Amino acid sequence: NDGDADSPQIAIDSSGNAVAVWRQSDGARDNIWANRFDGSSWGSAALIETDNTGSTYQPQIAVDSNGNALAVWAQSGGTRVNIRANRFNGSNWGNAVLIETNNDGDADSPQIAIDSSGNALVVWRQYDGTRTNIWANRFE
């Protein structure tokens, strides 16, 4: 309840459980939050990124058939925008990690897909100083 929330995304597993992500202002910057629906009720919202270097943008979520999820988003790192991710193991969120390391220019517009075994593929666009390219990273 700190500030405005926007950019909600939701994914549902084969058992009817859902994970939602969104960005929400804390008054100083926008953060990424998540909540899980276990088929009958929502849990407690959890902050899933704790890097306070800059605001976040464009959260996306995907869930596999076992209820594991991967969230991705763009986040300002102070000098440019990066792509970060956090994994939900069916019970808990891990730590947010940087998933792109090309420091040429801003990255944005992440998209994610996940298969029934939890393998995920994330794509995003990133400017290299001359043109915008499409990059990808795979999670197994």
Side-chain angles (χ1 to χ4, degrees):
N1 292 325
D2 289 331
D4 291 338
D6 65 21
S7 304
Q9 298 288 315
I10 193 163
I12 301 172
D13 69 19
S14 59
S15 300
N17 303 307
V19 179
V21 294
W22 65 94
R23 75 178 192 156
Q24 186 166 358
S25 175
D26 65 8
R29 62 183 204 88
D30 293 324
N31 303 284
I32 301 296
W33 288 81
N35 201 344
R36 183 171 184 267
F37 180 76
D38 66 8
S40 60
S41 63
W42 286 96
S44 298
L47 179 65
I48 65 169
E49 63 78 26
T50 56
D51 181 350
N52 292 323
T53 58
S55 286
T56 59
Y57 313 91
Q58 306 161 325
Q60 298 288 312
I61 187 79
V63 179
D64 70 17
S65 59
N66 296 315
N68 301 305
L70 188 66
V72 296
W73 60 90
Q75 184 168 4
S76 175
T79 58
R80 66 180 194 85
V81 178
N82 303 291
I83 305 297
R84 295 188 171 273
N86 197 338
R87 188 179 290 258
F88 179 75
N89 67 10
S91 300
N92 299 300
W93 287 96
N95 295 316
V97 296
L98 178 68
I99 65 167
E100 57 79 23
T101 56
N102 180 342
N103 292 322
D104 290 336
D106 288 337
D108 65 13
S109 303
Q111 296 292 312
I112 185 167
I114 196 166
D115 68 16
S116 60
S117 299
N119 300 305
L121 186 64
V122 179
V123 296
W124 63 89
R125 70 181 192 160
Q126 187 164 10
Y127 185 68
D128 68 5
T130 303
R131 67 173 188 237
T132 301
N133 299 289
I134 303 300
W135 289 80
N137 199 340
R138 179 178 161 88
F139 291 85
E140 298 176 1

